[in-house]
């Protein structure tokens, strides 16, 4: 079998919606669990990690993100000329 050539590899990694949701969900679980552990030591870092975990969960689940208390992002187009 000949060695694989660099042209056989995909040009860019697949960052479609499903892998991104899994990444944000994993980050959310990591933040939630870290916040839960830190809440026993001192509440302030626990609250901070809990909020970051909630934000990551809103990024992971589009339905949860629509019910988030902050307004939806609006992107305006700026054209030169």
């Amino acid at each position: 079998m000949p060695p694989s050539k660099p042209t056989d590899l995909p040009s860019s990694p697949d960052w479609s919606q499903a892998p991104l949701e899994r990444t944000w969900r994993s980050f959310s679980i990591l933040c939630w669990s870290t916040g839960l552990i830190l809440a026993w030591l001192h509440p302030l870092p626990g609250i901070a990690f809990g909020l970051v975990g909630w934000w990551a969960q809103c990024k992971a689940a589009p339905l949860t993100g629509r019910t988030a208390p902050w307004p939806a992002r609006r992107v305006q187009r700026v054209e030169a000329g």
Side-chain angles (χ1 to χ4, degrees):
M1 184 172 173
S4 67
K5 298 176 186 175
T7 57
D8 295 341
L9 301 173
S11 61
S12 63
D14 179 27
W15 282 103
S16 60
Q17 192 62 27
L20 276 176
E21 286 178 9
R22 284 193 307 267
T23 303
W24 282 115
R25 193 172 297 115
S26 298
F27 183 67
S28 170
I29 291 170
L30 178 71
C31 287
W32 278 105
S33 54
T34 304
L36 210 69
I37 292 168
L38 287 177
W40 293 103
L41 300 173
H42 194 277
L44 192 59
I47 291 171
F49 273 98
L51 289 174
V52 171
W54 179 54
W55 172 76
Q57 181 62 34
C58 289
K59 298 274 291 179
L63 293 177
T64 309
R66 286 190 204 123
T67 61
W70 53 79
R73 253 179 116 177
R74 294 189 183 112
V75 178
Q76 294 180 351
R77 235 182 189 176
V78 177
E79 295 182 17

